[in-house]
Amino acid sequence: MKKILVICLAALTLTACQDLTELNVNGKVAESVEAGSLFANGTYSMFDFMASTNVNVNNFRLWAQQWAQTTYADESNYQLVERDVNGRAWNTIYATVLRDLDDAKKLIEADEVTPAAQKANQLAIVEVMSVYAWHVLVDIFGDIPYTEALGNTGDADDVTPSYDDDKEIYTSLMTRLDAAISSLSGDSGFGSFDLVYGGSADAWKKFANSLKLRMAVRMADEDAAASKAAGEAAIASGLLESSSDDFELGYQSATPHTNPLWVDLIQSGRSDFIAANTMVDKLNELSDPRVSGFYKDTYLDTLSGEQVYRGGVYGDNNNYNAFSHPGEMQLDPTFSHTMLGYTEVAFLLADAAERGWTGAGDAAENYTTGITSSILEWGGSTADADAYLAQESVSYGTAAGDWKEKIGTQKWIAMYDQGFEAWSTWRLYDAPTLNIAAQAGIETPKRYTYPVTEASLNGENLDAVKAKYPNGDSFEDKLFWDMN
């Protein structure tokens, strides 16, 4: 008994001498996170969101009518609320992407060790990535919380940010891009945390200018003078010069770092997606060589006796085995995803040239460059591109429609696999003509409606912004730059 008592007293003495707060520390969890890790995670999360085809997260390939659906066609008929698709997009960009980037910025600003020049590059790159994310949010929803978002209301307890005007946000984003572009040079300062450009601030500068050009072209019909000034400055400062400059992320062969497409198309074992007749019919009409890269599986055409690619009716419940399917490249887990590339820049320059912007070059040459670059990306050859462009229905001088229809149609085709930009291209140019969703009987929406949760969490500010829209927050309400 005495021995037991001595042991107990010794244990109590040791406990009394220890700091008991250590027991509340999880030794397996980092106490702090590096700014680089937050930046990398924010970047990766943005790419995953844009690359995904999970119907709960990203419906852009469907809304651009690149793909149609089989058993369940709700998303092809623009159902957002049932799966909270609009809410998931909202939360992903706000709570994951922008929050990580904002926290990374604060850590960089508080860093007293890193050299000033390196910090300047880090802050500028975080800013460019943030501007990209903000611009996507605006282009999805229109007016959004911006100035007071991310806890910037000045009151830590205030979680009801007001909504900012979409055009005013664009103006602010342009100013932020200008400041970032002026700071970028040499090494990015992020090293291996820079998942896209591996530490090159000069590469980020090209991307930032190209993003600025995209935004300038977006707003050109609404504010010709401001867009011209911004676009010409972007061109003069230096854009993406080849496909090697693309803002793209390469994926790995094993989860969780595969392209999200592979998870939804292969790992899931599901058969939810087929080629949409909208895209396939256009490709077949133009004898487009990219059809064999975009899709796989052909079917006998009883009229011609030839094997052809066949698209399912957009917005209908289609038989998976009766139509063509996403192509082999998209089934590769390592398939990279591009959020803005050289191909798109060529079409942006074609638009800029038609508007008379200094430095934009020749519209027909840029149009040709964009098509050729896209064909090469999808496994075609220069000879394939030359033959395609020689057709009267494709050549810039003879293709149907005005310059907007020509550029819009070919850019929409070239943005295959970039559903968000293909949908945005259609909204900007109203070209090509997209199909009416078979079951819903309505045309493609101009924007996402606001998440249902905003009504309960931020109802007063939501009511205020809904009053601005002609239809009070509907698919038909257009963004400020959508003038057609």
Side-chain angles (χ1 to χ4, degrees), residues 49 65 70 78 116 160 227 233 241 245 317 351 379 385 425 438 461:
F49 170 73
Q65 300 192 13
T70 55
Y78 315 122
T160 57
S227 64
E241 298 175 3
D245 291 333
N317 299 106
D351 182 299
T425 296
N461 288 315

Side-chain angles (χ1 to χ4, degrees), residues 1 11 139 155 158 163 202 281 285 337 342 352 357 403 416 428 452 477:
M1 180 71 181
D139 286 0
D155 180 354
D158 186 358
Y163 285 67
D202 291 333
D281 290 351
E285 172 193 331
H337 185 75
Y342 174 67
W357 293 2
W403 66 266
Y416 181 77
L428 182 64
V452 173
D477 292 317

Side-chain angles (χ1 to χ4, degrees), residues 280-328:
V280 171
D281 290 351
K282 177 59 68 174
L283 296 174
N284 288 340
E285 172 193 331
L286 298 176
S287 300
D288 196 309
R290 287 168 288 190
V291 67
S292 60
F294 291 176
Y295 305 110
K296 67 172 187 173
D297 302 322
T298 58
Y299 300 86
L300 179 66
D301 183 343
T302 56
L303 294 178
S304 67
E306 298 178 352
Q307 292 290 120
V308 298
Y309 291 90
R310 181 186 298 159
V313 176
Y314 183 78
D316 208 353
N317 299 106
N318 295 281
N319 182 339
Y320 182 81
N321 294 315
F323 301 100
S324 300
H325 308 107
E328 293 293 345

Side-chain angles (χ1 to χ4, degrees), residues 11 32 46 85 98 105 113 148 162 169 183 196 219 222 228 231 239 245 253 257 275 277 280 335 367 389 403 456 467:
S32 61
M46 192 73 214
V85 179
L98 286 169
K105 176 183 177 181
V113 178
E148 296 180 355
S162 60
I169 297 173
S183 298
V196 181
M219 58 190 287
E222 197 276 338
K228 183 175 187 290
L239 307 169
D245 291 333
S253 58
H257 301 302
N277 59 349
V280 171
F335 182 54
Y367 170 91
L389 284 157
W403 66 266
S456 58

Side-chain angles (χ1 to χ4, degrees), residues 111-147:
D111 183 357
E112 298 179 354
V113 178
T114 302
Q118 186 173 331
K119 284 180 62 174
N121 268 339
Q122 289 177 342
L123 287 170
I125 289 169
V126 169
E127 188 77 333
V128 172
M129 195 66 226
S130 298
V131 168
Y132 179 87
W134 281 117
H135 122 81
V136 169
L137 262 178
V138 171
D139 286 0
I140 294 174
F141 292 99
D143 290 6
I144 56 170
Y146 173 69
T147 306

Side-chain angles (χ1 to χ4, degrees), residues 154 159 185 227 247 272 282 376 421 435 464 466 481:
V159 292
S185 65
S227 64
F247 191 67
D272 293 312
K282 177 59 68 174
L376 294 176
E421 192 54 31
N435 288 332
K466 286 169 68 173
W481 51 255

Side-chain angles (χ1 to χ4, degrees), residues 338-366:
T338 300
M339 294 204 302
L340 200 163
Y342 174 67
T343 295
E344 181 185 345
V345 167
F347 286 109
L348 295 174
L349 287 171
D351 182 299
E354 285 287 1
R355 298 179 191 275
W357 293 2
T358 301
D362 180 75
E365 290 180 6
N366 289 319

